[in-house]
Amino acid sequence: MVFRMRDEHFGVPIDQVQSIEKVTSFTKVPQAPDYVKGIVELRGEVTTVVDLRHLLEIGETEDSSETRILIVQVEGLKMGLLVDEAKEVIDVNDDSVEDPPQMVGGVEKEYIMGVSKQDDRLLILVHLHKVLDVEQIEEMKEAVQA
């Protein structure tokens, strides 16, 4: 699944993405970590939404008509990732994936599985399990349940 944040294109494995949703209003969660934008009700289920740009330390996602929420499953927790724009689903050949440089697109190497040249763009492959570590997932669970 390809999505955009700032001027960079990112990708996550499609098997981690359950759906792509338009942004609706969030309900703020008191005492939640800064990266938690709030909670939303989608199809009768309450989902925590986090700002992926904030987690990757590349700013804050600005709300626009293109902004989307990627509903993903990480470490058994279903959550929404706020991104600037959801682009498309593409096949990435394993042979095209290279080791990431120390930093690409302002994102630290530890959060990146690799990079892949796709047509005229560089696709940064995000490692969601590293972006949302176990401690952050526990913080989110506690904040939502409080």
Side-chain angles (χ1 to χ4, degrees):
M1 174 75 233
V2 178
F3 57 93
R4 184 184 57 77
M5 292 189 298
R6 297 192 320 197
D7 295 327
E8 306 291 338
H9 289 89
F10 295 82
V12 293
I14 192 67
D15 62 352
Q16 290 181 321
V17 179
Q18 295 183 339
S19 68
I20 301 166
E21 307 291 338
K22 284 192 171 197
V23 175
T24 59
S25 60
F26 305 111
T27 301
K28 295 284 185 195
V29 178
Q31 300 174 351
D34 289 343
Y35 56 84
V36 174
K37 293 297 270 187
I39 56 175
V40 295
E41 185 176 343
L42 298 168
R43 297 181 190 89
E45 205 172 320
V46 175
T47 303
T48 303
V49 178
V50 299
D51 188 338
L52 189 55
R53 278 176 61 174
H54 186 93
L55 281 174
L56 294 174
E57 299 174 8
I58 57 171
E60 301 271 328
T61 302
E62 297 168 16
D63 194 15
S64 78
S65 62
E66 301 295 323
T67 306
R68 294 292 182 267
I69 301 170
L70 302 181
I71 305 300
V72 299
Q73 189 91 18
V74 180
E75 299 291 330
L77 180 66
K78 185 177 180 180
M79 71 186 78
L81 300 176
L82 195 61
V83 300
D84 292 344
E85 181 182 17
K87 298 289 282 180
E88 60 195 317
V89 176
I90 63 169
D91 284 326
V92 175
N93 187 327
D94 289 342
D95 296 339
S96 74
V97 178
E98 299 176 21
D99 289 336
Q102 281 304 110
M103 184 179 279
V104 62
V107 179
E108 297 287 336
K109 179 180 179 176
E110 68 181 294
Y111 301 133
I112 303 171
M113 288 190 294
V115 294
S116 176
K117 183 92 167 111
Q118 299 291 318
D119 298 323
D120 60 344
R121 66 182 178 203
L122 185 68
L123 184 62
I124 303 166
L125 304 173
V126 178
H127 197 307
L128 289 180
H129 293 287
K130 299 274 179 155
V131 172
L132 286 159
D133 64 27
V134 174
E135 186 177 304
Q136 288 173 314
I137 290 172
E138 290 304 317
E139 277 182 2
M140 285 191 348
K141 285 180 182 175
E142 289 173 19
V144 171
Q145 291 170 353

